[in-house]
């Protein structure tokens, strides 16, 4: 019995969806909304959210914000998750959202929203996080 080893490196697999979405998001609002989802981590990791949000095309992938907004109520989300996605969609689609939607977010998601708002305003001197 002869065993052959292939010493060539494995072919690179497709980039993670997060990186492909970042590459697609060239417009400010898209870039900020994608960054919010990547920083939040949990929602974009869910297959149901990816299925509704990520649209595949010949050029790669893109975020289909309209499809997500239409299917948002069909996803099994708690109040904090739903509120976070509402804020993401407000930025991505230029919609209004009531400020009280940040109340159920919790510290981690609220920090993501605050960083997104500072980026959207074009400010890079405001630090969001715990100060010592």
């Amino acid at each position: 019995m002869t065993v052959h080893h292939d010493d060539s490196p494995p072919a690179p697999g497709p980039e993670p969806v997060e990186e492909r979405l970042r590459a697609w998001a060239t417009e400010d609002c898209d870039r900020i909304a994608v960054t919010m989802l990547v920083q939040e981590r949990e929602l974009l990791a869910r297959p149901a959210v990816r299925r509704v949000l990520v649209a595949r095309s010949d050029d790669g992938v893109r975020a289909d914000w309209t499809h997500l907004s239409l299917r948002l109520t069909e996803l099994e989300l708690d109040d904090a998750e739903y509120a976070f996605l509402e804020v993401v969609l407000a930025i991505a689609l230029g919609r209004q959202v009531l400020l009280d939607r940040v109340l159920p977010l919790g510290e981690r998601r609220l920090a993501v929203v605050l960083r997104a708002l500072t980026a959207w305003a074009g400010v890079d001197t405001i630090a969001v996080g715990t100060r010592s």
Side-chain angles (χ1 to χ4, degrees), residues 2 6 10 19 37 45 47 49 53 81 83 105 110 112 115 120 129:
T2 305
D6 184 3
E19 293 307 314
L37 288 170
V49 172
L53 172 66
E81 294 164 339
L105 292 183
L110 181 58
V112 171
R115 283 191 297 272
W120 196 19

Side-chain angles (χ1 to χ4, degrees), residues 83-94:
F84 182 81
L85 286 177
E86 281 186 313
V87 175
V88 169
L89 288 169
I91 291 174
L93 296 173

Side-chain angles (χ1 to χ4, degrees), residues 1-10:
M1 176 174 168
T2 305
V3 177
H4 297 283
H5 294 282
D6 184 3
D7 293 329
S8 62

Side-chain angles (χ1 to χ4, degrees), residues 31-52:
R31 181 180 43 77
I32 292 166
V34 166
T35 299
M36 291 175 73
L37 288 170
V38 170
Q39 288 177 353
E40 191 273 345
R41 293 182 315 269
E42 292 176 12
L43 290 168
L44 197 52
R46 290 187 182 179
V49 172
R50 284 186 186 208
R51 187 180 64 251
V52 171

Side-chain angles (χ1 to χ4, degrees), residues 15-35 37-38 44 53-66 88-89 91-93:
E15 289 182 344
V17 72
E18 296 85 357
E19 293 307 314
R20 292 184 286 161
L21 285 173
R22 281 187 197 255
W24 162 81
T26 57
E27 299 292 321
D28 281 344
C29 291
D30 290 327
R31 181 180 43 77
I32 292 166
V34 166
T35 299
L37 288 170
V38 170
L44 197 52
L53 172 66
V54 179
R56 301 188 193 293
S57 67
D58 293 337
D59 299 336
V61 300
R62 67 180 180 82
D64 189 343
W65 304 118
T66 303
V88 169
L89 288 169
I91 291 174
L93 296 173

